[in-house]
């Protein structure tokens, strides 16, 4: 199988959204996906709020990794890996590992002292893979989300 890991282009965003929806459906959260191709194009290419890498297999996008910079009060500038998705039929082919290495390379090129992401505790294969690459699963830290209803509640609407 011949593939290329490259920076995503605006015209790849249809495929990127398809991958996002595929993951959401796999996790039984398809109805929670609100982002659109227009959102991805605006935020990624017009506003520069994220960088996306894609796995291009003979002209078809089969995987993606979306990252952005954060700031840690302890470490300074960090890279956050929002999602790394490989189509189910392409898992086990090395595409996920290649995308992951591209993210690590990107972080290194930008001189960050930390790359961070969240992994589902039920995703044992990913956890084992990450640990084997030197990543540490922080069991004592909990991810916190405030959804739109919580935001509205806190601003008094």
């Amino acid at each position: 199988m011949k593939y290329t890991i490259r920076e995503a282009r605006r015209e790849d965003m249809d495929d990127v959204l398809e991958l996002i929806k595929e993951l959401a459906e796999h996790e039984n959260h398809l109805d929670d996906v609100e982002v659109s191709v227009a959102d991805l194009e605006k935020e990624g290419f017009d506003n520069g709020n994220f960088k996306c890498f894609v796995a291009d297999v003979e002209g078809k996008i089969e995987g993606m990794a979306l990252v952005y910079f954060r700031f840690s009060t302890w470490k300074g500038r960090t890279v956050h890996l929002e999602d790394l998705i490989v189509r189910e039929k392409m898992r086990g082919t090395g595409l996920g590992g290649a995308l992951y290495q591209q993210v690590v390379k990107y972080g290194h090129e930008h001189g960050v002292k930390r790359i961070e992401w969240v992994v589902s505790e039920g995703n044992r294969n990913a956890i084992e893979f990450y640990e084997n690459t030197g990543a540490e699963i922080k069991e004592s830290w909990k991810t916190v989300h405030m959804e739109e209803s919580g935001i509205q509640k806190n601003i008094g609407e």
Side-chain angles (χ1 to χ4, degrees):
M1 174 183 66
K2 184 176 171 143
Y3 66 86
T4 304
I5 304 299
R6 62 171 172 80
E7 284 189 27
R9 298 185 288 258
R10 187 181 289 268
E11 59 267 22
D12 296 325
M13 292 303 104
D14 283 318
D15 290 321
V16 167
L17 182 57
E18 191 177 296
L19 284 160
I20 292 167
K21 288 181 176 180
E22 185 177 311
L23 175 64
E25 185 171 32
H26 174 76
E27 294 181 354
N28 296 315
H29 285 280
L30 183 57
D31 291 342
D32 292 336
V33 177
E34 297 179 18
V35 72
S36 68
V37 169
D39 294 331
L40 292 168
E41 290 174 347
K42 176 182 174 189
E43 297 303 332
F45 297 92
D46 299 338
N47 296 341
N49 285 327
F50 65 81
K51 177 77 67 180
C52 186
F53 301 101
V54 294
D56 184 325
V57 180
E58 299 172 359
K60 174 127 176 72
I61 304 304
E62 300 287 5
M64 63 78 100
L66 191 144
V67 300
Y68 55 88
F69 290 108
R70 291 175 55 172
F71 189 84
S72 164
T73 55
W74 292 1
K75 297 291 183 183
R77 190 176 191 199
T78 67
V79 167
H80 181 82
L81 171 59
E82 179 62 23
D83 268 320
L84 192 157
I85 306 167
V86 174
R87 291 190 198 281
E88 190 168 356
K89 66 180 180 163
M90 299 301 290
R91 293 184 188 147
T93 63
L95 290 181
L99 283 162
Y100 179 77
Q101 287 304 313
Q102 181 62 47
V103 170
V104 173
K105 180 181 172 188
Y106 179 75
H108 177 71
E109 288 170 351
H110 286 86
V112 301
K113 294 182 180 153
R114 178 190 294 157
I115 300 170
E116 55 199 342
W117 61 96
V118 176
V119 62
S120 169
E121 65 185 355
N123 193 344
R124 295 301 317 156
N125 289 338
I127 290 169
E128 184 177 319
F129 172 81
Y130 295 143
E131 289 176 333
N132 287 336
T133 67
E136 181 182 348
I137 309 300
K138 299 286 192 177
E139 301 287 342
S140 62
W141 292 83
K142 301 291 183 193
T143 300
V144 179
H145 287 185
M146 181 181 290
E147 302 293 338
E148 190 174 11
S149 61
I151 295 168
Q152 297 300 329
K153 177 182 176 184
N154 276 276
I155 63 169
E157 288 186 7

